[in-house]
Amino acid sequence: MPITAHTRESAAHHVLQLAHRNRDARQVRTDAPDALSTPRGSDVHLSNAYTLALADQDAELESLLRSASLNLPDGQSVVWASRLLHRGTTLPSTRVYGPDLLLDVFEQSQNTDVRHYLLGSTPQVLDALHGELRRRFPRAQIVGTCSPPFRTLTVEELLRQAEDIRTAEADIVWVGLGTPKQDHWAADLCGQLPVVAVAVGAAFDFIAGTKPQAPPWMRRNGLEWAFRLGCEPRRLWRRYLFGNARFLWGVTRQLARGGAPRARSRPTGREPRGAGRRRTSDGCRRPA
């Protein structure tokens, strides 16, 4: 699986570069309305051991991640596995943590024209997240929020959501829906609009303060999964029991084959998947 060896600082810079590139593409489309197609956006995925374990048994998710614009090592175990599989290559020793990425991009985009859109979770979490981001980054631009329902969506709802994001002229859409739903959603959204869609998992809850966050020492030492399992054992026990085991088996299997293969170039675009796999909401809103 192609994982970009970014540091925390360089990952935020890369996301902002993608945002500016996609804005330029939208401007070209505006200046040349007769262009044959809408430029594709950039999907960014925060990949941890669970994400990669799912991709190991889900061909569609594997294909999605292989053709993504950017995959970042969200889990410390992914960093350790990458360093093990690429012995002899100098790689970062720390991960790109989803909440840190969101906060870093917001901080770096203050006093700029970068426009953010928050998509996912519940209305209550979104309200708390919006308030916390406003408190920390009063000069950042949040141009809309949307909390999709947990049900199959109509074509009309899908069109309204895409139109809301388009009308808001969002540059970065932060998607917090949980793996793998958020990964499919981010990729599908980028097939419709030239935006950056970043799948950030539980970052919404952690920044909003609606879920407890593991202590820094546990996050640094790859033990966040144990903390989260202790907080939500009934919901997460299958994820960590089978996901972690499958991830370790995959790393062992790759080591037995002689380590990681040489990096291959990745496609820059992908045809969007069918609308029936996406979610949306009538509750999308933008600041007045």
Side-chain angles (χ1 to χ4, degrees), residues 3 39 69 114-116 157 167 172 180:
I3 304 291
S69 302
V114 173
R115 300 164 68 86
H116 301 271
E157 288 176 318
T167 303
I172 303 176

Side-chain angles (χ1 to χ4, degrees), residues 38-177:
T38 300
R40 190 183 186 281
S42 303
D43 54 329
V44 179
H45 305 266
L46 278 294
S47 300
N48 54 30
Y50 178 61
T51 308
L52 299 184
L54 285 178
D56 192 46
Q57 57 186 327
D58 183 339
E60 185 178 8
L61 180 60
E62 179 188 11
S63 176
L64 183 157
L65 294 175
R66 284 191 178 278
S67 58
S69 302
L70 179 63
N71 294 317
L72 296 169
D74 178 60
Q76 189 61 40
S77 58
V78 176
V79 173
W80 290 335
S82 297
R83 289 165 63 89
L84 180 64
L85 293 168
H86 292 274
R87 294 185 299 274
T89 302
T90 301
L91 296 175
S93 60
T94 56
R95 62 177 176 159
V96 180
Y97 186 40
D100 289 342
L101 178 67
L102 192 156
L103 294 174
D104 289 347
V105 171
F106 261 80
E107 182 176 16
Q108 293 183 27
S109 65
Q110 285 201 105
N111 297 318
T112 72
D113 56 359
V114 173
R115 300 164 68 86
H116 301 271
Y117 192 102
L118 308 174
L119 172 64
S121 196
T122 65
Q124 294 77 18
V125 171
L126 274 185
D127 286 343
L129 174 64
H130 186 274
E132 180 63 14
L133 291 172
R134 284 293 190 200
R135 184 186 69 81
R136 295 196 195 191
F137 312 107
R139 297 181 302 279
Q141 296 191 52
I142 303 176
V143 296
T145 65
C146 186
S147 175
F150 294 97
R151 60 173 173 79
T152 303
L153 309 174
T154 66
V155 173
E156 290 75 14
E157 288 176 318
L158 296 172
L159 292 174
R160 280 198 297 270
Q161 176 179 284
E163 185 58 29
D164 187 74
I165 294 172
R166 191 195 317 272
T167 303
E169 298 182 344
D171 297 302
I172 303 176
V173 180
W174 299 95
V175 186
L177 294 168

Side-chain angles (χ1 to χ4, degrees), residues 216-266:
W217 71 268
M218 296 189 79
R219 302 202 300 266
R220 287 194 302 268
N221 291 282
L223 294 173
E224 184 181 19
W225 67 270
F227 180 87
R228 295 189 64 187
L229 179 61
C231 292
E232 300 180 86
R234 296 185 64 182
R235 187 175 76 87
L236 297 177
W237 75 270
R238 288 182 183 274
R239 165 176 174 165
Y240 289 125
L241 177 63
F242 296 107
N244 287 357
R246 192 175 189 101
F247 174 76
L248 290 173
W249 167 242
V251 174
T252 303
R253 190 174 63 222
Q254 198 165 340
L255 275 173
R257 294 173 181 168
R262 184 179 299 275
R264 298 180 296 175
S265 60
R266 287 169 281 161

Side-chain angles (χ1 to χ4, degrees), residues 174-210:
W174 299 95
V175 186
L177 294 168
T179 302
K181 181 192 294 186
Q182 65 185 9
D183 299 286
H184 290 288
W185 205 318
D188 289 344
L189 183 62
C190 288
Q192 301 176 72
L193 300 173
V195 298
V196 180
V198 189
V200 289
F204 283 18
D205 287 293
F206 292 151
I207 296 172
T210 54

